[in-house]
Amino acid sequence: MPDPASHEQRVTDLVDELAQSLTPVRRLPGPAMRTLAWCCAVLVLGAILLPLADLGGLWARLGVPDLRYAALCAFLTSASAAFAAFQSSVPGRSPAWALLPLPPLVLWIGFSGLGCLRSWIAPAANLAEPEEMRGCFTFLMSVSLPLSVLLVTMLRRACPLRPNLTAALGGLAAAAAAAALLVPFHPHDATAIDLLVHLVAVLIVVGLNGLLGGRLLDRTG
């Protein structure tokens, strides 16, 4: 009959051996710190692109209240969506965090919509040409891509239980950040068609992130 004390000692030795071979897992920074890191990456990208911008036109556009507040709300939408994405990537966190970017998003759309009235209020306003609108769409998609990749990479270090929701929030963060970075390159005033182009670009980025990014974040597949 095996000796119980000897068996218990072997089990203890095995546990000690396994414990010594384990590599400590570094705890992830909190959602706030990871959001700050991602926003800093957005600002670095903006600094890289800034020499290509029309700075004189930028200050003129920021002097118009609706354009200035639309740019600010786009950045707030980006930051709050990124924070909500990082929150939702932590198991046990409420899905209600997904509602966080809604207030700045509504304000962003509202202030952008005010610019659509500019052709009535100020007939001499500088309105967009088709080529310029295509350029805006290309800019939004091109800038959203690396920001989305970076955010999904950061989110993969966690374990989101709702990967599609988390990825879609990341897409909103990337698209809103791209819209904020577009302001220095936006040579014309907003129109209804211009706003529609921006909205389509944002929806495409959010949709692609939700589908493709969700697959990358899904650890159950």
Side-chain angles (χ1 to χ4, degrees):
M1 182 175 182
D3 183 6
S6 175
H7 176 71
E8 182 178 350
Q9 183 60 44
R10 287 198 299 271
V11 171
T12 301
D13 292 342
L14 177 60
V15 171
D16 291 340
E17 182 180 349
L18 291 174
Q20 292 174 2
S21 64
L22 292 176
T23 302
V25 177
R26 188 174 63 178
R27 185 176 181 180
L28 283 175
M33 290 302 299
R34 284 185 283 165
T35 301
L36 179 61
W38 186 79
C39 288
C40 287
V42 173
L43 294 177
V44 168
L45 179 58
I48 294 173
L49 296 174
L50 195 59
L52 305 175
D54 176 16
L55 296 182
L58 170 63
W59 298 124
R61 287 189 293 277
L62 291 181
V64 180
D66 57 275
L67 295 177
R68 181 170 66 248
Y69 294 136
L72 175 61
C73 290
F75 180 79
L76 292 177
T77 300
S78 174
S80 59
F83 182 73
F86 286 121
Q87 283 283 4
S88 68
S89 71
V90 179
R93 298 293 169 89
S94 172
W97 280 107
L99 301 176
L100 182 65
L102 286 185
L105 175 61
V106 170
L107 291 174
W108 174 26
I109 295 173
F111 283 117
S112 298
L114 289 177
C116 299
L117 303 176
R118 197 172 306 284
S119 58
W120 299 346
I121 299 173
N126 181 22
L127 303 180
E129 297 293 335
E131 284 293 334
E132 292 173 328
M133 286 188 288
R134 280 195 291 269
C136 291
F137 181 83
T138 301
F139 182 96
L140 290 171
M141 298 301 295
S142 300
V143 174
S144 295
L145 176 60
L147 294 178
S148 296
V149 171
L150 174 60
L151 195 50
V152 169
T153 301
M154 296 174 71
L155 290 167
R156 270 183 63 82
R157 298 186 60 194
C159 186
L161 300 180
R162 302 174 182 85
N164 295 99
L165 175 62
T166 298
L169 288 168
L172 177 58
L181 294 177
L182 174 63
V183 174
F185 302 89
H186 206 259
H188 51 266
D189 296 284
T191 64
I193 296 179
D194 189 48
L195 179 60
L196 180 61
V197 169
H198 290 195
L199 180 60
V200 168
V202 170
L203 290 176
I204 290 176
V205 173
V206 173
L208 288 177
N209 272 265
L211 292 175
L212 302 180
R215 292 182 181 180
L216 292 175
L217 296 179
D218 190 358
R219 301 296 182 87
T220 62

